[in-house]
Amino acid sequence: MRIEITAYTADGLALGEKLRELLEQEGETACFHPGKGPEGMKARDFAAEYFPKSDALVFIGAAGIAVRSIAPFVASKLSDPAVLALDDQGKFVISLLSGHVGGANDLTNRIAGLIGAVPVVTTATDGHGVFAIDSWAAKQGFFIMNPEKIKAVSGQLLDGKPVRFASPFPVLESLPKGFVRADENPDVVVDVRRPETDCLWIVPPFLTLGVGCRKNTPEEAIEAAFQKLLAKKGFSEKAFQQVCSIDLKAEEPGLLAFCKAHNLPFVTYSAQELEALEGEFTPSAFVSHVTGVDNVCERSAAKGSGGRVIVPKQAGNGVTMAVAR
């Protein structure tokens, strides 16, 4: 977690430096930016600089300064960083923004523990000891596709009404208080595929995309094949954690551009590694002649995922794709 800290009084400067050291001892990346002195950064400039590119901002000073400084940049609970305010005596730590998805509530409690302060967390679910579905999803690295549905789910829990939960994956060892398993009409679905009902949809990145393509296949052709696959199978593009192929494609420009556009790591394997995989794969004499292995997309997907192929080879316009879980 990248944490940026600023302070504006003599006591605040001392606390800021102390907090930076404590957070670094906890394994975090923390930087302190004094807001006082000839090189000091004004609060609004601090917010403008670090709000878009940091995981958390910590203001040591009046909470109002923090609120006014970040106001022009607040956009969404799914993208905003955590924002905290501390008084310069270190008595209180206040979670101001992105308590759940951004992790401000957890960071507030952690910092309070480090400096012996009182944590101030005002989100209703935390105040009532209710399971926060958005905080849980963020901690798992899952993606909330329709955040407007979070309020309804939290409201049901706060009202003491059961929340119907469905997932084909064992994402919870046991259901939290207030949740019940449901095969029909769920309120929350955790799945790589779009649910049939209007509910809160959370996507786990459990899939690996295996790709084969002709030399110099343009990014646009690979993207078109991917969008066709998503539409046909109902997958969210957020469900993919990586793209895999044979090492012959390690420098393929269109494939590299595709991975960059989707912010997905690209992993390649040798023909020998792919050929050594056990299982049934769709063979191609042509592919075997060119690459030294009878199938690239299915084998690379299976190799990368460590699991099994759930969508076999889909071919068209010089691109082959397969999906493994």
Side-chain angles (χ1 to χ4, degrees):
M1 194 175 199
R2 183 174 180 83
I3 304 169
E4 309 292 346
I5 307 165
T6 191
Y8 308 98
T9 67
D11 287 338
L13 296 179
L15 179 58
E17 185 57 40
K18 175 184 176 182
L19 181 57
R20 181 194 65 77
E21 293 178 1
L22 291 171
L23 287 169
E24 288 189 340
Q25 290 172 13
E26 294 283 304
E28 303 291 359
T29 300
C31 296
F32 178 49
H33 309 273
K36 184 179 180 181
E39 302 298 324
M41 179 180 283
K42 293 181 179 180
R44 62 176 177 270
D45 296 331
F46 171 77
E49 175 74 17
Y50 296 109
F51 194 96
K53 60 186 181 183
S54 301
D55 298 311
L57 303 185
V58 178
F59 291 82
I60 301 178
I65 294 176
V67 171
R68 285 191 293 272
S69 300
I70 66 173
F73 312 107
V74 175
S76 166
K77 67 164 57 186
L78 295 185
S79 59
D80 293 338
V83 179
L84 283 66
L86 284 69
D87 65 289
D88 67 0
Q89 297 299 300
K91 294 179 179 179
F92 301 97
V93 186
I94 308 169
S95 174
L96 288 180
L97 186 72
S98 281
H100 290 156
V101 176
N105 292 353
D106 286 341
L107 185 59
T108 291
N109 288 315
R110 287 176 56 201
I111 288 178
L114 289 173
I115 66 174
V118 176
V120 181
V121 175
T122 59
T123 44
T125 49
D126 294 86
H128 289 267
V130 169
F131 182 77
I133 189 72
D134 47 349
S135 180
W136 169 80
K139 289 178 182 177
Q140 309 310 310
F142 297 170
F143 298 93
I144 299 173
M145 304 307 295
N146 48 354
E148 69 277 5
K149 297 291 183 181
I150 296 172
K151 184 177 180 180
V153 171
S154 296
Q156 286 178 240
L157 291 172
L158 289 168
D159 290 341
K161 299 177 181 178
V163 170
R164 299 167 64 82
F165 179 87
S167 176
F169 308 105
V171 293
L172 286 166
E173 291 184 4
S174 60
L175 288 181
K177 181 180 179 181
F179 281 70
V180 295
R181 296 203 181 275
D183 295 327
E184 297 181 354
N185 299 317
D187 301 302
V188 178
V189 169
V190 179
D191 198 356
V192 295
R193 288 185 169 90
R194 181 180 298 278
E196 296 180 356
T197 57
D198 184 26
C199 60
L200 177 61
W201 181 27
I202 300 175
V203 174
F206 288 170
L207 303 182
T208 292
L209 181 69
V211 181
C213 63
R214 293 173 184 158
K215 186 177 181 179
N216 293 325
T217 297
E219 177 192 356
E220 293 77 11
I222 299 172
E223 181 65 37
F226 184 54
Q227 293 303 322
K228 183 178 180 180
L229 173 67
L230 296 181
K232 182 177 181 180
K233 300 298 180 181
F235 293 135
S236 164
E237 67 177 59
K238 294 291 188 182
F240 292 85
Q241 61 178 333
Q242 61 184 338
V243 178
C244 296
S245 191
I246 192 167
D247 56 7
L248 292 174
K249 298 299 175 183
E251 302 299 327
E252 189 68 41
L255 196 44
L256 291 174
F258 168 81
C259 293
K260 182 178 181 180
H262 289 275
N263 195 30
L264 289 171
F266 183 42
V267 182
T268 62
Y269 303 99
S270 68
Q272 291 76 18
E273 289 177 293
L274 296 180
E275 187 66 37
L277 281 178
E278 296 183 359
E280 295 185 5
F281 303 99
T282 308
S284 167
F286 174 77
V287 172
S288 181
H289 174 73
V290 173
T291 67
V293 63
D294 63 357
N295 182 294
V296 168
C297 63
E298 291 177 7
R299 287 183 178 272
S300 60
K303 176 69 175 178
S305 72
R308 64 185 182 86
V309 174
I310 60 172
V311 177
K313 182 171 73 173
Q314 310 287 300
N317 296 324
V319 181
T320 61
M321 288 185 172
V323 179
R325 185 179 72 203

